[in-house]
Amino acid sequence: MEIGIAAVGGYLPMLRLDRKLAARELAWSGLAMPRTGFRAVAGWDEDPVTMAVEASRALVAMPPRALRFASTSAYFTDRAQGALLVDALALPPSLRTTDLANSRRAGTAALLDALLSGHDEVIVAAEKRDTQPGSAAHLAYGDGAAAIRTGKDPAARLAGHASLTSDFIDRYTSRDHPTPYAYEERFVRDTAVKKLLLPAIEAACAAAGITAEQIAHAACVEPVANCWKTVAKRLRCAAPNHCEALSNAAGDLGAAHPLFGLGIALGAAKPGDFVLLVGFGSGVDALVFEVTAMVPGAGEIATLLTEGEVIRDFVRFLNLTGAVSLDWGMRAEFEQKAQATVLERVGRDTIGFIGGRDSTGNVQFPKSAIPVNPTIEGPEPLEDVRLADEQASIVSVTADRLNFSPDPPFDFGLVQFDNGARVLMEMVDRPSGGFKVADRVRMCLRIKAQNVRLGFRTYFWKAAPVARPRLGEG
Amino acid sequence: MASGIRDKVAIVGMGCTRFGERWDVGADGLMVEAFAEALADAGIGRKAIEAAWVGNALDDINVGNSALPAAHALRLDRIPVTRVENMCATGTEALRGATYAVASGAVDIALAIGVEKLKDTGYGGLPLRTKGVQNDLWMPYGSAPGTFAQLAGAYAARHGIDAADLKRAMAHVSWKSHQNGAHSPKAHLRGAIEMERILGAPMIADPLGIFDCCGVSDGAACAIVTTPEIARGLGRTNPVTIKAVQLSASNGWEMQFGEWDGASVPNTRAAAARAYAEAGIRDPRAELDMTEVHDCFSITELVIMEDLGLSDEGRAPADILDGRYDRDGAIPCQLDGGLKCFGHPVGASGLRMAYEVYNQLQGRAGERQRGKVDFGLTHNLGGSPFNSVAAVAILGRLN
């Protein structure tokens, strides 16, 4: 029985920074920085958990045996994001989860471990990394997530693999330096190519019983630009590197980058093609897949690069990436404090968006002892109904400019679900003309409240437009 | 069926402070100011009060919880004092408590007082507050204009009204109240404003501009209520009486059940229907001489006109633009400037409305006097259109 990739998923936040805008704004400084392409920018209420949910939600209609979450920028350091994902995706608590971190290679490491376990698993990697304004990373990095479902009888079988572990420092972050500290590009390129990338790729190809020339598509993480170009030339490999295209269109997604790039590569591949995946960071993971069928989800991933809205204001980008701290006034002093007792009681229903169906069939959120349905006289048990995957329409809405929001305005209103439920909700990914009554919306998990002082956040679902504009048309 | 409280309770004294940015005085001073006016009006001493209801919606803003702030400020003499809070309907809720106490025969003379010290928040607009640790997990934190602004889009969608036309009617609501507020010596905002300025004002919550929003104020107002017999004994030959006080609270239907279209406030309709029945009013358009309604935002007043049955469904914008609710219109609304211009110290507003009707009923409203007034209605609306408490009171004279 062969193991491999059964399906893939990806997510990019809606906003994009056109790097030309940043280059213009920073021209006076003379700083070196990437000047072409786009950087995906997470909303204030997005983080690795919310983006991981978006990337993986289409892959968990049937619960997997295990879930592995990989990120170098997860918010909680002693609260498993995997546990949050189980509840947010309404997966059974018996599912085993693992959080991986501390290396950009965590994404491919998690994938390879899952493949080697031989089980049906979901691997999801997501990043929203802090960067210093003025650094190349501030513009080169992007926010996003990618997910892969492994399984037997796959659409892309694992043909071979190789790994090298090395304390090679191209860049690092630490508790005392939470933004990347990067070393000279030429040193990184020369060393990475020669000592890590070439030997690992050659070993993986050998394990797969192919030569590098047979690789049709590559998803190779490059610690600095043009590594793949050098590697491909040495190996006489003509395959395009889809990770390079991803860097250009959305930025370097960290631990999610190779998995997202693999998704694009699988979408471009045809049955019989060999696809190379390379993860980089404190060493290298190189995996070779043989595509046997169209990989579910792969066709849609490249589309994500072409959708979104370009940020017109550089200061808004600085604000969203935490590069400036604006004085939002006294209204911003309001803090919500979540209580563990309440989260234990209703947290799973909240982050899972679980409402209840009464004996007449009406659905409501949140659940209550006596249903809201006026035809019901007294308390009765409600059947769980997940609202996260239901579509809905706006009943009433406003763009609130008085209430504090880290990225105003604060859109909210009443949302009517097609299944009968009605919920007062925040709205995100606002369309260019704003939200309107009767607009169709879909649900997405976001940060509900951020308590900076206590270092805690809660999550809930918000309503977003069903479709995104094509990039540049929003 | 219950007989109701019509004409069982008379108002013998009322007081109301100047509303506004009262940097000079705290909540205690505001209560003392209103109470002194009411005692003088009633012609009684402090010790005649047998029970009191104090309304305060935001106790954490320099008032304090429980009955004690009022008991201390007014030096009430070990009588039962009850603090009530029902969001923006708090003032009328205090009046309801005092009224019921007298109507039941439990006491002869009771006090209802409402107070708010909003300008001690340090910023404009109402403060943001927790909705409870469980609701905080999912419920959006919209501002007050944010919640009421949603009436506009829903109203336009239901009635097929162009957003610009609706905005013009909303602007007329504010324009009218500014005209009225100019004649109210105790009002917070006393300047008339031109329509163009209202229409071009900065947006607060789409489509509400700054002039679509009421003033956020400090202030206190109070009423001393008693039996009609005692009122006569105090020299009131035809005392002002309470014809009805009704309240209606949401049970989650608007927010959770998929029937409401967001273009009306069902609680206003429920409270109004009960109040009309209690007061014996069959045709409010013909019988009401004036209204003081909860115009926290211009769109709220527009929708209230239909919820109270004063305009046909979908006709409020036209009625407003025709001047039906102007000071010289058929049923003037907010003769004192309303929340919009008199101001909105939340817990005091319901009693401030009653104060204006009380004065109009007695022909004491000075240059605002609307000729002979037989029936006046007050309407308080707390919360948001989708989760509200509505209070309707009707005042008249005993004979």
Side-chain angles (χ1 to χ4, degrees):
Chain A
M1 193 74 76
E2 289 185 313
I3 191 80
I5 293 171
V8 297
Y11 176 76
L12 293 175
M14 187 179 79
L15 295 175
R16 300 286 188 284
L17 174 76
D18 184 340
R19 295 190 180 109
K20 283 199 296 290
L21 172 67
R24 263 202 312 274
E25 295 290 342
L26 291 166
W28 61 272
S29 69
L31 290 166
M33 66 193 69
R35 294 167 185 276
T36 58
F38 296 91
R39 179 215 201 277
V41 183
W44 77 266
D45 54 359
E46 294 187 283
D47 74 359
V49 164
T50 68
M51 292 189 286
V53 167
E54 287 300 308
S56 58
R57 61 192 293 185
L59 307 186
V60 295
M62 290 290 291
R65 179 161 164 170
L67 185 146
R68 299 176 193 246
F69 171 79
S71 178
T72 65
S73 54
Y75 182 72
F76 289 101
T77 52
D78 186 5
R79 186 189 183 198
Q81 335 303 299
L84 285 164
L85 292 175
V86 164
D87 285 353
L89 294 166
L91 295 170
S94 57
L95 188 146
R96 201 160 43 80
T97 67
T98 316
D99 283 23
L100 289 92
N102 297 347
S103 165
R104 284 157 279 152
R105 193 156 56 95
T108 51
L111 174 61
L112 184 53
D113 283 353
L115 291 166
L116 295 178
S117 79
H119 296 139
D120 164 21
E121 299 194 17
V122 166
I123 302 90
V124 59
E127 296 278 23
K128 181 183 179 182
R129 295 180 289 177
D130 290 338
T131 50
Q132 180 87 24
S135 70
H138 193 221
L139 304 181
Y141 281 14
D143 306 321
I148 289 177
R149 182 146 186 170
T150 60
K152 292 166 183 166
D153 298 324
R157 72 171 185 93
L158 177 64
H161 65 91
S163 294
L164 283 173
T165 299
S166 167
D167 186 30
F168 170 64
I169 305 170
D170 57 328
R171 72 186 70 172
Y172 70 86
T173 60
S174 67
R175 282 181 187 271
D176 291 328
H177 202 289
T179 56
Y181 190 89
Y183 286 95
E184 188 185 12
E185 287 197 10
R186 285 204 298 273
F187 156 69
V188 172
R189 187 178 303 108
D190 290 352
T191 311
V193 168
K194 184 179 171 189
K195 288 192 171 178
L196 296 170
L197 291 169
L198 277 171
I201 294 169
E202 284 175 323
C205 288
I210 64 167
T211 65
E213 290 173 76
Q214 290 176 262
I215 295 167
H217 294 276
C220 176
V221 171
E222 301 177 284
V224 293
N226 294 324
C227 286
W228 175 251
K229 196 173 158 188
T230 310
V231 168
K233 190 175 174 186
R234 296 265 182 89
L235 297 177
R236 294 183 180 149
C237 175
N241 181 15
H242 295 284
C243 279
E244 187 181 346
L246 175 60
S247 295
N248 190 51
D252 180 340
L253 305 185
H257 201 75
L259 306 190
F260 201 112
L262 177 63
I264 302 172
L266 292 172
K270 58 185 188 303
D273 282 352
F274 286 98
V275 173
L276 173 70
L277 168 68
V278 179
F280 189 95
S282 300
V284 171
D285 291 319
L287 294 80
V288 176
F289 295 95
E290 182 183 11
V291 177
T292 56
M294 292 298 293
V295 179
E300 291 82 48
I301 287 200
T303 309
L304 299 174
L305 304 181
T306 64
E307 296 173 339
E309 180 185 316
V310 178
I311 297 175
R312 299 184 188 286
D313 194 315
F314 186 61
V315 178
R316 187 182 177 203
F317 166 70
L318 295 177
N319 181 52
L320 284 169
T321 54
V324 294
S325 177
L326 300 179
D327 181 351
W328 291 101
M330 289 187 186
R331 284 191 170 275
E333 294 170 6
F334 177 72
E335 286 181 339
Q336 295 179 43
K337 181 180 179 183
Q339 292 289 359
T341 52
V342 179
L343 287 169
E344 180 57 27
R345 201 161 59 238
V346 298
R348 187 172 165 81
D349 278 355
T350 307
I351 198 171
F353 212 171
I354 309 292
R357 180 179 284 114
D358 66 26
S359 56
T360 72
N362 185 61
V363 180
Q364 66 174 71
F365 179 90
K367 290 182 279 192
S368 55
I370 301 175
V372 68
N373 185 339
T375 66
I376 294 177
E377 284 291 326
E380 64 173 44
L382 299 179
E383 176 196 351
D384 280 0
V385 178
R386 179 164 154 90
L387 296 173
D389 297 319
E390 301 290 330
Q391 287 199 3
S393 300
I394 293 174
V395 177
S396 66
V397 65
T398 192
D400 191 336
R401 295 160 204 279
L402 179 64
N403 189 34
F404 164 67
S405 165
D407 188 34
F410 179 83
D411 293 296
F412 78 109
L414 267 184
V415 171
Q416 180 65 48
F417 288 77
D418 295 350
N419 69 5
R422 170 175 285 198
V423 184
L424 186 68
M425 302 186 76
E426 293 180 39
M427 291 161 197
V428 292
D429 293 353
R430 98 188 309 260
S432 56
F435 290 97
K436 294 184 175 58
V437 172
D439 280 358
R440 297 289 287 167
V441 288
R442 62 182 285 272
M443 303 302 119
C444 54
L445 186 76
R446 297 292 178 104
I447 296 168
K448 168 63 169 66
Q450 173 70 51
N451 189 315
V452 175
R453 190 171 55 84
L454 296 178
F456 196 82
R457 60 181 53 158
T458 59
Y459 298 89
F460 187 57
W461 296 78
K462 302 183 184 180
V466 171
R468 286 183 177 176
R470 285 186 62 78
L471 202 57
E473 292 179 358
Chain B
M1 185 183 166
S3 59
I5 52 93
R6 176 168 42 153
D7 289 334
K8 292 177 179 172
V9 179
I11 303 178
V12 288
M14 289 202 78
C16 181
T17 68
R18 181 173 60 80
F19 282 12
E21 294 168 333
R22 295 293 304 270
W23 315 122
D24 57 320
V25 64
D28 52 349
L30 289 168
M31 283 190 278
V32 167
E33 208 175 305
F35 188 47
E37 183 186 346
L39 287 175
D41 182 26
I44 62 173
R46 189 180 70 197
K47 292 185 185 301
I49 305 291
E50 296 170 74
W53 276 257
V54 55
N56 170 241
L58 295 100
D59 59 284
D60 50 331
I61 305 171
N62 215 0
V63 178
N65 65 345
S66 84
L68 295 180
H72 281 236
L74 307 181
R75 302 297 178 200
L76 298 173
D77 198 14
R78 298 198 185 282
I79 60 170
V81 182
T82 305
R83 183 212 166 193
V84 294
E85 185 277 309
N86 230 340
M87 300 186 283
C88 294
T90 295
T92 304
E93 190 69 299
L95 179 63
R96 196 168 69 102
T99 298
Y100 280 14
V102 170
S104 72
V107 297
D108 282 338
I109 301 178
L111 169 71
I113 186 163
V115 65
E116 213 74 57
K117 194 70 188 79
L118 290 178
K119 295 315 296 180
D120 282 353
T121 53
Y123 52 86
L126 293 177
L128 206 56
R129 311 172 88 204
T130 176
K131 296 178 190 296
V133 284
Q134 190 158 321
N135 285 335
D136 283 350
L137 293 179
W138 67 272
M139 203 176 276
Y141 276 84
S143 68
T147 61
F148 280 94
Q150 296 180 41
L151 280 172
Y155 185 92
R158 184 212 271 186
H159 297 294
I161 294 174
D162 179 74
D165 292 341
L166 183 61
K167 177 78 179 175
R168 223 170 350 265
M170 289 158 55
H172 187 98
V173 168
S174 300
W175 172 85
K176 168 265 300 169
S177 293
H178 273 280
Q179 295 285 322
N180 294 349
H183 301 287
S184 277
K186 293 182 176 178
H188 183 169
L189 304 170
R190 300 199 61 206
I193 304 285
E194 295 306 312
M195 281 289 283
E196 291 69 28
R197 196 170 164 208
I198 296 170
L199 288 166
M203 206 58 80
I204 300 297
D206 301 4
L208 302 179
I210 185 78
F211 288 111
D212 290 299
C213 306
C214 72
V216 172
S217 324
D218 301 327
C222 68
I224 295 169
V225 294
T226 187
T227 65
E229 295 71 29
I230 293 172
R232 283 201 192 94
L234 290 168
R236 306 296 197 276
T237 51
N238 190 13
V240 171
T241 56
I242 297 171
K243 304 292 182 182
V245 187
Q246 288 292 337
L247 192 89
S248 177
S250 294
N251 68 358
W253 178 81
E254 299 97 317
M255 268 179 82
Q256 282 188 289
F257 199 65
E259 289 183 340
W260 181 59
D261 66 4
S264 64
V265 178
N267 282 318
T268 296
R269 294 178 182 227
R274 285 202 290 266
Y276 291 148
E278 187 170 43
I281 286 181
R282 290 194 172 81
D283 182 359
R285 299 182 194 190
E287 296 177 69
L288 291 177
D289 297 298
M290 62 171 292
T291 63
E292 289 283 333
V293 305
H294 203 86
D295 58 326
C296 49
F297 305 97
S298 57
I299 186 63
T300 322
E301 181 175 319
L302 184 149
V303 167
I304 289 166
M305 292 301 105
E306 293 179 15
D307 290 341
L308 291 176
L310 303 179
S311 280
D312 291 338
E313 302 287 338
R315 284 288 304 168
D319 288 346
I320 286 166
L321 289 168
D322 287 347
R324 180 180 174 82
Y325 305 113
D326 291 355
R327 61 186 297 105
D328 56 354
I331 314 171
C333 181
Q334 330 292 51
L335 281 167
D336 63 356
L339 302 179
K340 174 75 193 76
C341 292
F342 206 102
H344 185 27
V346 179
S349 284
L351 287 156
R352 183 274 301 161
M353 296 170 178
Y355 179 76
E356 178 66 11
V357 177
Y358 172 79
N359 283 323
Q360 291 280 350
L361 284 165
Q362 298 179 93
R364 305 194 321 196
E367 59 178 302
R368 297 189 313 284
Q369 185 62 42
R370 161 80 183 189
K372 183 169 180 292
V373 171
D374 293 322
F375 289 102
L377 176 147
T378 71
H379 163 267
N380 253 184
L381 183 59
S384 59
F386 36 75
N387 200 27
S388 68
V389 177
V392 173
I394 298 171
L395 306 184
R397 285 184 296 273
L398 185 60
N399 302 308

